[in-house]
Each structure stands twice: as C-alpha cells, then as structure tokens.
Amino acid sequence: MRKLILAAALAGCALSPIAVQAQQAPRQASQQALGQAALSPAERSDPAAAAIDADQIAATVTFLADDLLQGRDTGSEYYDIAAAYVASRYMAMGLQPANGDSFMQDIVFRSTTAGDAALSYAAGDETVQLEAGRDFVVTGSYGERQVDLTAPMVFVGQGIHSPENGIDDYAGVEVAGKIVVVVSGAPKGLPGEVASTLANTKTEYASQQGAVGMISIRNLESLERMSFDKLATYLQEPRETWVGPDGKANVADPNLRFSAYLSPDAASRLIAASGHDLQDMLETYDDAKAKTRPAAFDLAGTASVSVASEWEDKTSANVVAMLPGSDPALAGEYVVMSAHLDHVGNHLSDVIEGEETDTIYNGAMDNATGVATMLEVARVIAMGPSRPRRPILFAAVTAEEKGLLGSEYLAKNFVRDDGEPVGVVNFDMPVLLYDLADVVGFGAENSTMGQTLIRAGASTGIGVSPDFLPEENLFTRSDHYSFVKEGVPALFLMTGVQNGGKEAFTNFLGTNYHKPTDDLTQDLNWESARKFALLNYQIVKLTANADERPMWYEGNYFGDNFAPHAPRAPALAASPAAK
C-alpha cells in the first residue's frame, strides 16, 4: 500500500518544481539543436523513433538525481521513492505489471559482517597463531553465524580450472574436506573478460570440488594496487547477497565455510613452513611469458578457524513491467531491457568537522541517465502503432552497486512463468557530457546481438568503436552479466570515443565516478541522450522483431561455458564492433 500511495503521489511529478527546472534553458537549447539536425533513416521511417524526446530524458534524470532521493541506496526509503516513481511511469505508458499484478519484485538482502575471528595453523611441532587485522582478515558467513573448523590445507596455485585454456591448478591433489590456499587473480595473457570470469568463479569451483574453506594470498599486481591495511578495512565492511524464496542466502560456493586473506608476511611464513618460496611463485604468476606454473601441493599441518558473523536483513525491489508481443509463436521469448536504479546513498561519514561537505552521492550519470534512457525507449515502444513480435520485459533493478545482486536475482528467479529471457540490452552509466557520435558495444563479439548493433548504428548514423578501456573488463561489471551467466546473450553500450568521448569518459571516471560530484551540476548533453536512446530503441526493436532469437557464436567462451547446449551462429572472422 505504501508504494501505491507513493506511486499515485509521484504520477504528477511532471508538474513539480524539479521537473519544471528540467524544462529550462539547457533543454530548450538542445531542442533547438534537434530541430536543426537532419533526421536519420530510422526516424524518417518510424514515427516512434522520431518521437524520442530529450526533454523526457532530462526530466527523469533531474528527478532521480535530486538531493531529495539521498542517493537511492538499496533498501532505503529513498530508493523506494525512486522505485515508486518508475512504477508510476510504467503505469502511465500502459505497460503491464510483470510480476503477477505487481510492478515490484521484492527481494530480501542479507548483509554479513565478521565479528570475533581466530586463525592458526600447525607447522611441525609449533602452532602459529595469527593476529586478526594484522596477519589476516576474514569475511562474514551468509550461512553460519558461528564457524569453527579444523582441516588440512592444500595449495592450488591461482585456483583456476580452465581446460579450454590448458590450465588446471588442481591437477595432482585432492581438495575435498580441505582448506584451499590460492593466489589471487588469473593467468596473464588471457583476454581480460575471460580472466575476470575465471578469477570471479574460483570459489565456485573450489566448492564444487568439496573444499571447506579458502585462504587467499595476494598476487604482486594486487599488492602494488592496495596495501593489506586498506584491503583489511575494505573487507571488514558488510557484504551482501540475496535470500532466495526458500529462505536460504544465495552463494555460489556453499561448501566454503569461510574465506580469509593473509598479509604478505603471514603468507610467506605459511608457504615457507612447507619448504617453498612464495616470492618465486608470485613472480612466476606475474610473468605472462612463463611456460610453466607452480604445481599444487599439500601444505604441512592443519589450519584452525573460528569466525562469528553478524547478519542484517532488508528488502528492496526490482521494478518490472512488460509489453506483450504480437506473434503468438514468439510469446515466450522475452527481450529484457535493464538498468540499475540504485546508487550508493548518503555517506554521512564523509563529513569533515568545520567544513561544508556534500555527502549525497546523487548518481546522475550512474545510473539516472541509464534508467531515463530505458524509460524513454519503453515509452516510444509502448506508444508505437504496432507491438513488436516478441514480448519485452523492462527492469529497473536494485543492488547493482552491491555486486549486481538485483539483476542476479531476476536472472535466477525470472518473474515470468510463461517464457524466458532470450536477449538483454543493458543501460548503465552513459556519459552524456559531449556530442555523441559513436558507442562501444560490450558483448558485440560474443553473439549475433553484435550484428544487430551494426544494423542499428547504420540506421541511426551512430558509429561503433572498439573497447578503449579493455583493462577495465566492463563487460563483466554490469547487470547484463547476471543474465550472461545464465546463458543469455547480452549487449551493453557505452558512449564512444569520437568528439572527445574518450576524454569525457576517462575524466568522469577519475573525477566524478562514485563521488558526490556525479550530480546535476555536470553539463549534461541532452541531445546526446536522445541519440543514445534512439540507438538503443533500434537495437531493442530489431531484436524483438527478428526471425531468430539472439545466438552465441560458435567457439565463444561465454556461450560455451554458460549455454553449452544452446544453438550457435557461425563464428565471425572478426568482432562486428571492430568492422
């Protein structure tokens, strides 16, 4: 009832002072520029494409990024206001609730914090007692409030099992019932997105092999990037996951009862106790030209661990709507449009005594612009003269900033029981600070959605450029990736490099990303917002109307690992985004 009341109150937000502000001179200037610009082929042939409105996008961003919403933190009443606003927009468009008769998919999130912790290991006749915070740091458990465990240890290198890349760090050892000791990171020389996936799934593989705990040793690159003291401070912050309909917290590694990181000194002593030199090992892992990797081995003695965990549960919602398709034969094939609605809230701890400090992380670019783009695409699709062939699911998801949790819940607990997602278009942090002329298509090389991007770009006059920040591994860092892990092809667009786009994006990352300055004082280019929405509209329309659902390419890493039995399209000689 509370959310319905808020939705009713917000349905008239276009008349509020905030929305009136969104109609002032900057928007008028962009509208004049639009009137002078030549229409693209897409706009000339499609009245809905021509109806995409920069002012609609501006009004949405201006509301969601206002101080009133206090940074839209997951589980806060301010996020609930944003969610009610999005639901009211869906209602005004005539979209249907996607979760039964509700626009809300409520999710219980559990945060865990490690309390008292102890870690020791036997080395010969000696027991080495490590000091919490100085020698090790342990994370809280989602499944047990109190963990007490003694088990043998086994060193498994970087903990990578990837036969397709000729890597098996588990070869020659048995880990069931043991604590695995791993070096962080992934092998050098692998493509960034593959390396990131392998690094992020090593706990899952260890759990599948029956390991009962994991002790991590940081690689040289990690040590250079962050001191152990800073890492310990970071890891002592609460972690979150979602709780499933069965009441159990979702974890990918249920057999691992604890996870800990060792300081460099403690790690060296642990490895030396079994007659090995850790520094030599770390240098090998750091060398992309190394022909061999250190073999796995059993460590001497056992480790004993005790960890107390504190839990706190809260509820937040994905906001979901749907537009039925027009082709009964494709009624179960949902095209998903996603954008995260949450940001990181109000950091009152940032206050410096005696100084005027802005503590609200408004998230204008991250991700009010993405939600606004999705809503504008939804609006024009819903108002079009004919419905697309496939149904479309619109999802403003929560808890992206907590680790893609809201989208993961939706991907694993899809709200529709009459079908499944077949392709995802994700909207996250378009940097609208310059004249948009091109985009980067993350995921374009993985599936036929890349060819759809090329066709959409040609019809809108927007170019496609290669990834200019491959080291950031952006494909694995936004909500579409939750669906990729469930085997669904996905596309995620980032504003491109032309007309100063590369500089604008890198400057934003260095200056305003996850800072209070990501607010409405930035000089947002609303005409670029309109063009970005136009391109995404074309992608969604083409995907929804295609004869075939999106398909992974033959031999693609993500398709082979996450959808091994799905039909394939012939592999391309080169990435479609690079042509």
Side-chain angles (χ1 to χ4, degrees):
M1 177 63 71
R2 174 173 58 89
K3 289 178 178 176
L4 288 176
I5 292 171
L6 282 169
L10 288 166
C13 69
L15 301 178
S16 72
I18 292 173
V20 170
Q21 176 188 356
Q23 307 298 321
Q24 300 305 313
R27 263 57 92 193
Q28 295 168 357
S30 69
Q31 193 171 39
Q32 292 171 0
L34 173 59
Q36 297 167 358
L39 294 178
S40 68
E43 294 165 286
R44 289 196 295 269
S45 62
D46 184 347
I52 293 174
D53 188 348
D55 285 344
Q56 292 274 350
I57 299 171
T60 301
V61 173
T62 305
F63 179 79
L64 292 177
D66 193 274
D67 282 356
L68 168 70
L69 268 66
Q70 295 286 296
R72 309 186 305 279
D73 194 14
T74 298
S76 70
E77 62 183 304
Y78 305 103
Y79 176 87
D80 288 350
I81 293 173
Y85 166 77
V86 171
S88 72
R89 292 287 303 277
Y90 288 158
M91 292 169 65
M93 297 171 192
L95 298 176
Q96 297 180 14
N99 188 25
D101 60 358
S102 177
F103 288 109
M104 303 296 175
Q105 183 187 36
D106 286 329
I107 309 169
V108 175
F109 293 99
R110 173 166 299 162
S111 65
T112 181
T113 307
D116 293 337
L119 174 60
S120 64
Y121 63 90
D125 297 331
E126 179 187 7
T127 297
V128 178
Q129 186 71 50
L130 301 180
E131 181 180 338
R134 188 193 72 176
D135 298 320
F136 77 95
V137 60
V138 64
T139 56
S141 168
Y142 293 116
E144 299 179 77
R145 291 185 184 273
Q146 178 65 46
V147 172
D148 293 293
L149 172 68
T150 298
M153 296 177 289
V154 56
F155 178 80
V156 291
Q158 288 185 300
I160 301 298
H161 177 76
S162 180
E164 66 276 17
N165 290 298
I167 301 169
D168 185 7
D169 287 340
Y170 284 77
V173 293
E174 173 60 50
V175 303
K178 299 179 181 180
I179 298 167
V180 292
V181 178
V182 304
V183 174
S184 64
K188 299 284 186 179
L190 294 177
E193 293 166 352
V194 174
S196 177
T197 299
L198 290 173
N200 291 335
T201 55
K202 65 175 64 179
T203 62
E204 183 176 351
Y205 185 78
S207 176
Q208 291 170 355
Q209 301 310 300
V212 295
M214 179 175 285
I215 295 175
S216 295
I217 295 171
R218 299 171 67 209
N219 63 19
L220 295 178
E221 183 179 357
S222 174
L223 290 170
E224 291 175 1
R225 190 168 57 245
M226 182 185 295
S227 70
F228 179 75
D229 288 344
K230 287 186 178 180
L231 176 71
T233 299
Y234 169 74
L235 291 178
Q236 287 166 354
E237 293 292 319
R239 298 186 304 139
E240 294 192 30
T241 191
W242 48 267
V243 177
D246 60 0
K248 296 180 180 179
N250 175 69
V251 291
D253 45 19
N255 288 322
L256 295 184
R257 297 178 63 194
F258 82 97
S259 178
Y261 278 83
L262 296 183
S263 71
D265 178 66
S268 294
R269 286 186 282 140
L270 174 65
I271 298 300
S274 294
H276 295 266
D277 188 299
L278 177 61
Q279 185 63 27
D280 288 346
M281 293 179 180
L282 295 182
E283 289 175 0
T284 300
Y285 293 123
D286 199 51
D287 183 1
K289 297 180 181 179
K291 298 184 182 300
T292 60
R293 297 167 62 79
F297 59 89
D298 288 313
L299 282 94
T302 59
S304 295
V305 181
S306 176
V307 184
S309 297
E310 300 174 2
W311 294 350
E312 182 179 348
D313 289 356
K314 62 186 177 184
T315 300
S316 190
N318 293 329
V319 195
V320 289
M322 62 90 68
L323 181 70
S326 61
D327 188 339
L330 304 177
E333 297 186 0
Y334 281 85
V335 177
V336 176
M337 294 171 55
S338 61
H340 76 88
L341 182 59
D342 65 306
H343 196 51
V344 297
N346 189 339
H347 290 210
L348 294 174
S349 59
D350 291 349
V351 171
I352 300 174
E353 187 174 354
E355 296 185 13
E356 186 174 334
T357 307
D358 184 1
T359 63
I360 299 174
Y361 288 59
N362 303 81
M365 218 77 70
D366 184 17
N367 182 38
T369 56
V371 173
T373 302
M374 184 191 74
L375 288 175
E376 182 59 5
V377 174
R379 184 183 71 85
V380 296
I381 288 177
M383 67 174 277
S386 61
R387 284 182 293 155
R389 296 174 64 193
R390 286 181 176 82
I392 300 175
L393 184 102
F394 308 94
V397 297
T398 187
E400 188 270 354
E401 301 290 2
K402 309 296 184 183
L404 315 184
L405 296 182
S407 58
E408 183 180 58
Y409 187 90
L410 176 60
K412 289 181 176 292
N413 300 275
F414 196 58
V415 288
R416 305 298 301 176
D417 57 12
D418 58 353
E420 63 182 2
V422 298
V424 177
V425 179
N426 185 47
F427 306 79
D428 189 1
M429 207 174 79
V431 176
L432 305 173
L433 298 172
Y434 66 101
D435 183 14
L436 178 71
D438 65 318
V439 296
V440 175
F442 297 102
E445 71 279 12
N446 298 324
S447 76
T448 54
M449 294 191 76
Q451 298 177 55
T452 302
L453 167 61
I454 295 298
R455 292 195 296 273
S459 69
T460 58
I462 298 173
V464 181
S465 297
D467 182 3
F468 60 92
L469 289 173
E471 68 280 4
E472 294 288 341
N473 299 319
L474 292 176
F475 178 69
T476 65
R477 290 174 53 184
S478 192
D479 290 304
H480 61 283
Y481 191 62
S482 295
F483 289 89
V484 169
K485 291 191 294 183
E486 297 302 309
V488 183
L491 189 63
F492 164 42
L493 299 191
M494 181 59 66
T495 43
V497 300
Q498 298 179 31
N499 296 338
K502 179 179 180 179
E503 293 77 10
F505 186 83
T506 54
N507 288 342
F508 175 81
L509 287 182
T511 304
N512 297 327
Y513 174 67
H514 278 203
K515 293 183 173 64
T517 49
D518 180 15
D519 61 13
L520 294 168
T521 64
Q522 298 170 101
D523 188 16
L524 279 84
N525 187 315
W526 302 113
E527 168 59 8
S528 289
R530 185 196 65 82
K531 290 193 288 186
F532 188 72
L534 172 64
L535 176 64
N536 279 284
Y537 164 76
Q538 283 295 105
I539 294 169
V540 172
K541 186 179 77 167
L542 289 170
T543 303
N545 287 328
D547 290 336
E548 293 183 321
R549 66 165 69 187
M551 288 187 289
W552 298 102
Y553 290 129
E554 291 178 352
N556 176 260
Y557 172 84
F558 299 101
D560 288 350
N561 279 273
F562 298 127
H565 305 299
R568 294 290 192 271
L572 296 183
S575 163
K579 291 187 174 182

